Amino acid sequence: MTFKSLIDSILEKLQVDRLKRYIPIPEWLFRYQSEYLVGDIIAGIIVTSLLVPQSMAYALLAGLPPQIGLYASMLPAILYPLLGSSRVLAVGPAAVDSLMVATALGKLEPQNTPEYLILALTLTFLIGCIEILMGVLRLGFLVNFLSHAVISGFISGAATIIAIGQIKHLFGLKISNTESLFTLVLSIFRTIDRTNWVALGLGLGSIAILLFFNYPLVKWLKRRRWSDRAILPVSKSAPLLVVIVGTLLVWALHLDRAAGVKVVGDIPSGLPHFSFPIFDLSTLETLLPIALAISLVGYLEGFAGAQSLARKRREKVSANREFIALGVANLGAAFSGGYPVTGGLGRSVVNFAAGANTGLASIITGLLVIVIVMFLTPMFYFLPQTCLAAIIIIAVYKLIDLATFRRMWLYDKADAIAWLTTFIAVLFVGVEKGILLGAIVALVLHLWRTSHPHIAIVGRLGETEHFRNVLRYDVKTSPQVLAIRVDESLYFANAKYLETYIFNAIANREATPLEYRPDVKKILLVCSAINLIDASALEILESLIFDLRLLGIQFYMSEVKGPVMDKLRKIGFVDYLGEERIFLSTDRAMRELAGI
């Protein structure tokens, strides 16, 4: 018996496939192949080099000590791949979530205090519980109600706030924390004359290194015929290089004392103690709204990254399993001294490109971070905050998605308005309120759009069976039969609009071309695009048919879809209209009603 057949026999006895229905066990865990190992190890090391400086920087962004970012990068990175459906998602702290944490908790307690840290742990615990509950209840579909325009506008606005907020660290300015972007910008301009030029030099030098490694170096290495696999570890080592160079310069030249460059300072070595959130009802109620917001935003960021990378390998990710896996990862962060985590798109792309084959790459990353926390944290004492600010700025500027806004403006002004509203609201109203306001605007615009559906008068295209809009094609029509196609399901918000359109057409008003107004004796409603007629629309339709009969105009329907027809028959509408007035095709209807 071969080793593979032995494993398969064991799996069959364990009834793994049946067990997976109840416990989301990843496929790779029981079917790991030896050829995966090298890629997973390399990817784990490369992602670690990127995650360590990012996690410390994001923790500072969240108003927490830098070691909290490291703690949040240990257990979550190990737990997620044991439950998640993505093989390459890299879980850890993220910029937008960190900003949301700082914005919400800053209103309750001063940053960098024990009370603030306990609130962050409690918030992380709540997020984990919410995500697990949504996964168990199979509520992954709910995220579809946040449109791409709202999410893109929200992330772009949050990234703008993050980038502007790091200017004070980049310039070495002493400015108190504020929630108002206007106040922050004003404070920067008022104190710009107190710029610490040494800190600014370190920061700009860090930005130059990061940009050089991202673009010119990659192009130069490609001209030298380096493979993409060889270029990746070099190009993605820039944040770690910035940390090392900045730390060595401050340590060697004593820039923290001689030039007043602000450094990270003492970072406790060793693993964190087991931490407990606050189980106080009033505290939980206070944190619940922001926990729900971060849960959805974090999940969207993680799931979008997992889905896009899975498609490249023709794999699938499960929305509900991702909820559960990210929820467990957040619970792990809550009990190991961390703060909210999600799947970072940038890190996941690096993980994918570095050759990660399974979740083992993420587990290796978590284990390496544990080693760093246990033995190497004293080396970060002289790490200048201006270098971390540079890392954050370069990481988030790519999230400002103006290209999507321009594309939406050209394609659909309503989506562009939703994007712009969300972006502005995040900047000037607040992060939580911004995404809520954007979602409301997107919903209102959707309701307005569906309440004014596209309606076309159609005619026969040549001698074919096709019927097209009279305003777009040279078609055959009948003065006695008005064939109208509505390109939307009928519901309470738009049925009256259809009724008004039909009466305007009959009354020779400006809604339709003049040649179709005189001598109309029959109305044919083409239902090819109607997937639903709700109760309110049905009532308006019956009223319309009655009013048309009073005017001596008969009402007909064609191409009614099966599910719609079943409901109309069940409620008695077919008997009310008459079975003979409903046609299978518009072609047959126009031949019988108009002879064309």
Side-chain angles (χ1 to χ4, degrees):
M1 178 181 291
T2 64
F3 178 75
K4 185 178 185 301
S5 60
L6 176 64
I7 293 297
D8 290 337
S9 175
I10 294 173
L11 293 178
E12 184 178 353
K13 291 180 180 179
L14 290 174
Q15 295 183 314
V16 171
D17 290 336
R18 182 177 296 180
L19 186 63
K20 284 167 64 179
R21 298 178 186 177
Y22 307 100
I23 303 175
I25 301 174
E27 187 74 22
W28 68 266
L29 194 60
F30 292 102
R31 303 188 185 279
Y32 196 85
Q33 299 180 27
S34 57
E35 56 264 30
Y36 292 163
L37 186 59
V38 174
D40 285 341
I41 292 175
I42 293 174
I45 294 172
I46 292 174
V47 172
T48 302
S49 69
L50 182 64
L51 177 61
V52 168
Q54 277 191 353
S55 63
M56 291 192 291
Y58 291 156
L60 292 173
L61 175 62
L64 295 162
Q67 67 267 21
I68 303 301
L70 295 173
Y71 298 160
S73 304
M74 299 187 304
L75 202 52
I78 296 172
L79 291 175
Y80 169 81
L82 299 179
L83 298 171
S85 58
S86 171
R87 295 188 174 204
V88 296
L89 192 67
V91 173
V96 175
D97 287 7
S98 299
L99 174 64
M100 295 179 75
V101 170
T103 303
L105 301 187
K107 302 173 184 177
L108 305 176
E109 295 289 347
Q111 293 185 357
N112 289 306
T113 61
E115 294 78 13
Y116 186 92
L117 176 57
I118 293 175
L119 285 180
L121 295 174
T122 306
L123 178 63
T124 309
F125 172 78
L126 267 179
I127 291 169
C129 291
I130 290 171
E131 290 180 335
I132 292 174
L133 182 62
M134 295 186 79
V136 170
L137 296 178
R138 306 184 68 81
L139 299 178
F141 69 93
L142 290 178
V143 298
N144 296 328
F145 289 95
L146 285 176
S147 71
H148 176 61
V150 172
I151 295 300
S152 177
F154 168 76
I155 292 177
S156 297
T160 302
I161 292 176
I162 292 170
I164 295 175
Q166 294 307 302
I167 291 177
K168 63 180 181 181
H169 297 300
L170 192 69
F171 281 67
L173 302 175
K174 295 180 180 179
I175 299 174
S176 58
N177 293 320
T178 176
E179 297 176 17
S180 170
L181 180 65
F182 177 78
T183 303
L184 175 61
V185 173
L186 192 62
S187 299
I188 290 173
F189 277 109
R190 285 177 175 173
T191 58
I192 197 70
D193 58 325
R194 303 174 202 165
T195 296
N196 186 317
W197 295 103
V198 175
L200 180 60
L202 286 172
L204 293 179
S206 300
I207 289 176
I209 291 173
L210 293 167
L211 290 176
F212 174 74
F213 272 67
N214 276 345
Y215 300 106
L217 179 61
V218 171
K219 291 182 179 179
W220 184 78
L221 292 177
K222 284 184 176 180
R223 286 199 299 268
R224 305 278 295 182
R225 297 184 180 180
W226 282 41
S227 67
D228 291 339
R229 195 74 174 271
I231 291 174
L232 183 72
V234 176
S235 63
K236 297 305 176 183
S237 64
L240 186 60
L241 178 63
V242 163
V243 167
I244 293 173
V245 172
T247 302
L248 289 176
L249 285 174
V250 172
W251 170 75
L253 302 177
H254 306 289
L255 298 180
D256 55 326
R257 298 193 302 270
V261 175
K262 193 171 182 180
V263 297
V264 168
D266 283 315
I267 298 179
S269 58
L271 297 177
H273 297 293
F274 192 77
S275 54
F276 290 92
I278 300 174
F279 295 104
D280 176 66
L281 185 59
S282 61
T283 302
L284 295 177
E285 288 178 351
T286 301
L287 295 177
L288 186 58
I290 184 60
L292 182 60
I294 294 178
S295 297
L296 292 176
V297 171
Y299 170 78
L300 279 169
E301 184 177 356
F303 181 70
Q307 194 173 44
S308 63
L309 293 175
R311 286 172 182 162
K312 295 182 179 181
R313 291 182 176 175
R314 298 185 178 181
E315 297 171 350
K316 292 183 178 180
V317 292
S318 166
N320 296 308
R321 276 182 60 178
E322 288 304 296
F323 255 132
I324 294 173
L326 289 173
V328 170
N330 273 291
L331 288 185
F335 290 110
S336 60
Y339 77 110
V341 297
T342 188
L345 178 57
R347 291 192 300 267
S348 299
V349 170
V350 171
N351 198 32
F352 177 89
N357 295 298
T358 69
L360 180 61
S362 179
I363 294 175
I364 291 172
T365 294
L367 294 175
L368 289 175
V369 175
I370 289 175
V371 172
I372 290 170
V373 168
M374 291 179 65
F375 303 109
L376 303 180
T377 52
M379 298 175 61
F380 297 125
Y381 179 92
F382 291 101
L383 172 58
Q385 288 195 9
T386 183
C387 292
L388 294 179
I391 292 172
I392 293 177
I393 290 172
I394 295 302
V396 302
Y397 92 93
K398 300 175 184 177
L399 300 177
I400 303 175
D401 195 5
L402 295 178
T404 293
F405 172 70
R406 289 194 295 267
R407 180 179 174 85
M408 288 178 177
W409 187 259
L410 293 173
Y411 183 73
D412 190 338
K413 296 290 192 296
D415 280 340
I417 291 171
W419 189 101
L420 190 61
T421 301
T422 307
F423 179 79
I424 294 174
V426 168
L427 291 182
F428 298 104
V429 178
V431 178
E432 307 97 333
K433 294 178 181 177
I435 192 171
L436 179 61
L437 182 60
I440 292 173
V441 169
L443 181 59
V444 169
L445 289 171
H446 172 73
L447 289 174
W448 182 88
R449 185 163 41 197
T450 57
S451 67
H452 295 72
H454 177 261
I455 300 176
I457 294 177
V458 298
R460 184 182 296 277
L461 188 62
E463 300 300 325
T464 70
E465 297 180 358
H466 301 294
F467 287 78
R468 295 291 184 265
N469 190 337
V470 298
L471 299 179
R472 293 179 179 270
Y473 297 91
D474 183 15
V475 294
K476 295 179 183 179
T477 58
S478 169
Q480 288 82 32
V481 180
L482 189 63
I484 295 177
R485 188 191 72 226
V486 55
D487 296 331
E488 186 68 67
S489 293
L490 296 178
Y491 73 114
F492 63 91
N494 65 11
K496 204 71 180 176
Y497 182 82
L498 173 63
E499 181 187 49
T500 302
Y501 185 97
I502 290 175
F503 279 120
N504 283 345
I506 296 169
N508 196 23
R509 293 178 185 164
E510 295 180 359
T512 55
L514 293 174
E515 58 267 34
Y516 293 100
R517 312 302 172 33
D519 304 323
V520 173
K521 298 300 180 184
K522 299 171 184 177
I523 298 291
L524 175 65
L525 181 63
V526 181
C527 303
S528 56
I530 297 176
N531 298 314
L532 170 71
I533 300 177
D534 75 357
S536 299
L538 182 63
E539 185 175 339
I540 292 173
L541 207 55
E542 290 174 342
S543 175
L544 170 65
I545 293 170
F546 179 80
D547 292 339
L548 288 173
R549 285 174 180 171
L550 294 179
L551 297 173
I553 299 174
Q554 300 301 316
F555 187 84
Y556 299 85
M557 300 174 73
S558 68
E559 302 186 37
V560 181
K561 294 186 177 180
V564 178
M565 190 67 173
D566 292 342
K567 295 180 71 174
L568 295 179
R569 197 184 299 280
K570 183 178 180 180
I571 202 65
F573 176 83
V574 173
D575 295 331
Y576 172 74
L577 178 62
E579 184 95 31
E580 71 282 358
R581 295 180 183 274
I582 302 178
F583 296 89
L584 282 175
S585 69
T586 305
D587 171 62
R588 183 174 177 180
M590 292 300 288
R591 290 186 189 279
E592 292 192 16
L593 299 178
I596 64 168

